[in-house]
Amino acid sequence: MKKNLFLFLTLFSTQTFAFSQQELMNQLQQPQNVQGHFTQLRYLKSLAKPITTSGQFALVKSKGLLWQMEKPFATQLKVTPSGIQQWDGSRWVSSQKFGQSDQIRLFLGLLSGDISALSEQFDIAVSGVKTQWQLTLTPKTLLMKQIFTQIQLKGNALVQEIELSETQGDRTQIQFSGLKTDQALAEFVQQALEN
C-alpha cells in the first residue's frame, strides 16, 4: 500500500509539475520583443580575472538581435538570419569572421527559445518548472563538439542567464537584467533590425 501511494504521488507530482521542451519553447517565443541589460563575463584559462563587458540588447521576434556594448568601450552588433554586422558609426558592415551560419542560428535560438533549431546540433535536457527552469545543451554535431562541452540556460518567464563552456577550458557567462517585453523600440533599434 505504501509503495502504491508513493508511486501515485510520484507520478502525480511529475505530471503536475513537469516542464517540457515544448512548453519552454512556447513560453520563450511569446514576446514580440525583449529588451534589457546584459553583463558578460569571459573566463579565460590564462587570466586570473574574467573579462567583463556590459550594455543593452534588444531581441525582436523574426528580425534579430541588437547587442549594444557600452563598457569597456562602445560597439554595436546586430545578429540577423542573414548574418552578423557591426555598426561603424555611419553604416552596418559585415564581417566574414562573424558570418558562421551555425553560430548565428545557435545564438538566435538560445535567446528566442527556438529549441527545434538547437536540437539539430545538441541533445537537449529541460528541468525545473515554468518559473524556474534550466536547459542543458550537450553538443552532438562534430562542429559543436569542437567548440563547446556544454551550454546551460537558466530562467523564469525569460532567459536570465546563459553559460557557454568551451572545449579548451574557457567559459562565458551572460547575465540578463532589467528585462522588459513588448515595449516600444528606440528608433536606432527599429532601423537596425529592419534593414
Side-chain angles (χ1 to χ4, degrees), residues 28 61 65 128 143 147 161 168 188:
L28 294 177
K61 189 174 189 174
L65 169 72
L143 175 63
I147 302 169
E161 182 179 314
Q168 79 276 16
F188 181 75

Side-chain angles (χ1 to χ4, degrees), residues 106-166:
L106 169 65
F107 201 66
L108 289 175
L110 288 175
L111 288 172
S112 66
D114 187 358
I115 295 173
S116 59
L118 297 174
S119 67
E120 296 170 11
Q121 302 175 63
F122 296 91
D123 290 320
I124 299 173
V126 177
S127 61
V129 294
K130 184 176 185 174
T131 55
Q132 187 177 355
W133 52 265
Q134 180 172 306
L135 175 69
T136 302
L137 305 172
T138 305
K140 65 181 181 183
T141 64
L142 183 59
L143 175 63
M144 290 301 154
K145 284 181 180 180
Q146 291 173 347
I147 302 169
F148 301 109
T149 56
Q150 181 175 275
I151 299 173
Q152 283 193 329
L153 289 83
K154 295 177 183 174
N156 44 42
L158 302 167
V159 176
Q160 298 291 320
E161 182 179 314
I162 299 174
E163 186 169 318
L164 305 113
S165 300
E166 299 174 27

Side-chain angles (χ1 to χ4, degrees), residues 6-76:
F6 177 76
L7 181 60
F8 173 77
L9 290 173
T10 303
L11 289 173
F12 178 78
S13 65
T14 302
Q15 293 298 318
T16 304
F17 300 111
F19 192 53
S20 71
Q21 289 181 27
Q22 187 62 48
E23 289 171 314
L24 177 58
M25 188 166 69
N26 292 343
Q27 178 174 307
L28 294 177
Q29 291 180 344
Q30 280 182 356
Q32 294 302 304
N33 70 60
V34 179
Q35 301 174 72
H37 302 279
F38 71 87
T39 301
Q40 180 174 305
L41 303 165
R42 180 95 169 113
Y43 296 89
L44 302 175
K45 288 189 313 183
S46 57
L47 298 177
K49 291 184 177 181
I51 299 169
T52 303
T53 59
S54 61
Q56 298 181 54
F57 77 96
L59 176 67
V60 180
K61 189 174 189 174
S62 302
K63 300 283 185 185
L65 169 72
L66 182 63
W67 197 255
Q68 298 177 285
M69 189 172 73
E70 297 166 346
K71 293 178 183 176
F73 52 86
T75 186
Q76 290 89 24

